Amino acid sequence: MVRRHFEYIGSHTQTFIGFVRPGLGDADVRRIFESARQAGVDLVLELFDLESETPPPPVLRAAPRGWVGYLDEISLDWPAHGDVPVDDIVQLAVDTLIAGLQSVEGGHADISAMLRELHRAA
């Protein structure tokens, strides 16, 4: 999933930059952008069976939300400089997700299973 994200950005860099940066002043673009970010958070939670009918605990909501913002920023840096191989940028993104989730693992037993899966996939 992360690799596909960067492959898409590599092929659609200007579209991605236009969506993430200057359009934030427009209310409609902001709503679309926020919806896309929330979809990223929801996907992370869903991939590891952490989504539920009720909202997740605040710290579990915040960790993947912060990672999605981080992913946006390294997705802007990566094509701007072009000096990090895609394999390395993908690994950096995955490692950062793991680190963020490890920081909230103690209070949420479900995260331990998710982290084991992430380590296997990484």
Side-chain angles (χ1 to χ4, degrees):
M1 173 185 86
V2 175
R3 177 173 297 284
R4 283 194 318 257
H5 171 79
F6 284 104
E7 288 171 351
Y8 177 84
I9 289 169
S11 299
H12 302 89
T13 302
Q14 293 307 312
T15 301
F16 180 76
I17 291 169
F19 182 65
V20 172
R21 285 291 180 234
L24 292 179
D26 179 275
D28 290 334
V29 173
R30 271 195 323 272
R31 275 192 293 281
I32 293 167
F33 180 73
E34 177 55 35
S35 176
R37 271 199 165 172
Q38 187 58 50
V41 172
D42 293 344
L43 180 60
V44 169
L45 295 172
E46 180 184 325
L47 283 172
F48 299 99
D49 295 324
L50 295 173
E51 85 284 2
S52 65
E53 301 279 326
T54 60
V59 72
L60 186 53
R61 178 204 65 236
R65 172 86 184 174
W67 179 75
V68 169
Y70 172 83
L71 189 62
D72 287 344
E73 289 301 317
I74 65 170
S75 296
L76 290 168
D77 180 84
W78 178 63
H81 296 281
D83 56 358
V84 179
V86 70
D87 290 341
D88 293 347
I89 202 76
V90 168
Q91 192 63 53
L92 176 62
V94 171
D95 290 348
T96 303
L97 175 60
I98 291 169
L101 292 170
Q102 282 175 326
S103 73
V104 298
E105 180 179 14
H108 305 282
D110 291 343
I111 294 177
S112 295
M114 178 172 61
L115 287 170
R116 282 191 298 277
E117 289 297 317
L118 274 173
H119 281 292
R120 274 195 286 274

